[in-house]
């Protein structure tokens, strides 16, 4: 299934995308794409619905973030060997973990605000992993049992805030609107191999990133298991698994985003996003 949330910000309704690309309303069956809706049993129940029996959502509504109630937005740094090389970093012996504030989460096509004082706002297309049931001390073999599905995640980053100011990376990753997710939560049964997905990103029509999850250092199973050794993972939590090469920081000379730039990005089978960057007033 391709689950989604549609409507004005703060008033989104649950829906799904049928085989013809039509949005169908799920409000009669679930309150939101969140919490217990993400549990395997609940997803199994939804999968048995006949999409044609669900009301058609007219027009082209705004899409919100594909999952609600995210308690943790956990990001993995330098998790692609070719991205680490372009930034001059070495592949870490264990995953680099940092957090993106959940207040950064927006819809896949919402405008992204360049924060005041920013001079190095950058892009990163990433595979998002959405947790479906509580995971604690899980094995790598069982890890995917705790995954509800996958989505496109844009880990927008302000490099000066991230690396040139004191402290950890979080403040360069958590600015308002720096976490577009969606358009859909694609349930794991539709993704044969999360470690073999093409991914891409363009800025103003120019291809900047053209990679694959094949070059991930630490794969989805490993990350879910690894993180669960340190913290419980709850339904709706998002793991953003790192980015392939082609970020602005890695260009020679570096290239960063400015107001008016348009970024488009996508992952094979998971849909695509489009954002216009604007100055935060």
């Amino acid at each position: 299934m391709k689950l989604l949330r549609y409507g004005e910000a703060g008033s989104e309704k649950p829906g799904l995308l049928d085989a013809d690309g039509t949005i169908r309303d799920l409000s009669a069956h679930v309150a939101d794409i969140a919490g217990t809706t993400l549990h395997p049993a609940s997803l199994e129940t939804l999968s048995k619905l006949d999409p044609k029996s669900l009301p058609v959502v007219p027009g082209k509504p705004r899409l919100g973030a594909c999952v609600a109630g995210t308690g943790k937005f956990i990001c993995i740094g330098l998790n692609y060997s070719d991205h680490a090389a372009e930034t001059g970093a070495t592949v870490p012996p264990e995953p680099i973990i940092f957090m993106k504030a959940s207040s950064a989460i927006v819809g896949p096509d919402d405008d992204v605000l360049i924060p005041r004082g920013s001079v190095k706002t950058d892009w990163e297309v990433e595979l998002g992993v959405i947790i479906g049931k509580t995971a604690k001390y899980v094995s790598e073999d069982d890890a995917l049992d705790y995954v509800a599905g996958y989505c496109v995640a844009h880990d927008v980053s302000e490099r000066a805030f991230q690396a040139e100011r004191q402290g950890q990376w979080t403040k360069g990753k958590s600015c308002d609107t720096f976490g577009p997710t969606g358009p859909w939560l694609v349930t794991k049964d539709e993704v044969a191999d999360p470690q073999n997905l093409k991914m891409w990103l363009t800025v103003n029509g120019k291809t900047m990133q053209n990679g694959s999850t094949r070059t991930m250092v630490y794969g989805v199973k490993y990350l879910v298991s690894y993180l669960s050794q340190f913290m419980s993972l709850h339904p709706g939590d998002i793991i953003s698994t790192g980015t392939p090469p082609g970020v602005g920081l890695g260009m020679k000379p570096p290239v960063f985003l400015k107001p008016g730039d348009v970024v488009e990005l996508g992952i094979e089978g998971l849909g695509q996003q489009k954002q216009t960057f604007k100055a935060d007033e």
Side-chain angles (χ1 to χ4, degrees):
M1 293 181 292
K2 293 179 172 68
L3 302 176
L4 54 85
R5 301 172 64 251
Y6 71 93
E8 295 301 314
S11 301
E12 292 92 346
K13 295 180 179 180
L16 63 75
L17 194 76
D18 70 16
D20 297 323
T22 300
I23 296 176
R24 303 276 181 164
D25 181 64
L26 277 174
S27 299
H29 299 276
V30 295
D32 207 343
I33 308 302
T36 56
T37 299
L38 302 171
H39 191 276
S42 298
L43 294 178
E44 177 67 19
T45 298
L46 287 178
S47 72
K48 294 177 181 177
L49 294 173
D50 178 5
K52 294 187 187 310
S53 71
L54 301 170
V56 171
V57 177
K60 293 184 177 181
R62 169 192 173 270
L63 295 182
C66 60
V67 64
T70 298
K72 295 189 288 297
F73 198 145
I74 308 166
C75 300
I76 309 299
L78 300 175
N79 195 34
Y80 282 69
S81 54
D82 36 9
H83 171 57
E86 76 169 342
T87 61
T90 56
V91 173
E94 291 189 46
I96 294 175
I97 302 170
F98 62 93
M99 307 295 274
K100 184 185 285 281
S102 59
S103 55
I105 297 172
V106 291
D109 300 327
D110 289 344
D111 292 339
V112 173
L113 301 177
I114 298 175
R116 293 181 185 179
S118 169
V119 292
K120 294 184 178 180
T121 294
D122 203 350
W123 57 84
E124 293 191 8
V125 59
E126 305 203 1
L127 173 67
V129 179
I130 299 171
I131 298 299
K133 65 178 182 178
T134 301
K136 186 173 183 179
Y137 301 130
V138 303
S139 69
E140 192 170 346
D141 287 342
D142 293 337
L144 292 188
D145 293 343
Y146 297 84
V147 172
Y150 305 95
C151 69
V152 180
H154 191 180
D155 180 19
V156 186
S157 308
E158 212 298 333
R159 302 302 187 189
F161 295 179
Q162 176 186 354
E164 298 173 20
R165 305 281 290 270
Q166 294 299 309
Q168 299 178 340
W169 289 1
T170 300
K171 62 180 176 288
K173 299 283 189 170
S174 296
C175 304
D176 291 349
T177 73
F178 269 26
T181 59
W184 320 309
L185 183 166
V186 181
T187 51
K188 64 185 176 185
D189 57 291
E190 291 199 12
V191 181
D193 184 2
Q195 305 308 146
N196 189 26
L197 300 175
K198 296 177 183 177
M199 54 204 311
W200 57 272
L201 180 146
T202 68
V203 178
N204 300 326
K206 181 180 179 181
T207 298
M208 298 298 192
Q209 292 186 276
N210 186 14
S212 169
T213 58
R214 287 194 308 271
T215 62
M216 259 192 212
V217 178
Y218 300 106
V220 172
K221 291 181 181 180
Y222 183 90
L223 291 173
V224 171
S225 174
Y226 180 84
L227 291 168
S228 78
Q229 309 307 310
F230 304 102
M231 65 190 87
S232 58
L233 304 174
H234 296 146
D237 285 353
I238 300 171
I239 304 170
S240 201
T241 56
T243 197
V247 300
L249 180 66
M251 304 287 178
K252 301 189 185 312
V255 176
F256 298 109
L257 294 164
K258 60 187 184 302
D261 285 343
V262 176
V263 176
E264 298 180 73
L265 59 150
I267 299 177
E268 180 181 3
L270 305 184
Q272 62 186 63
Q273 305 180 357
K274 181 178 181 179
Q275 297 113 25
T276 299
F277 280 67
K278 298 182 177 181
D280 197 359
E281 300 298 336

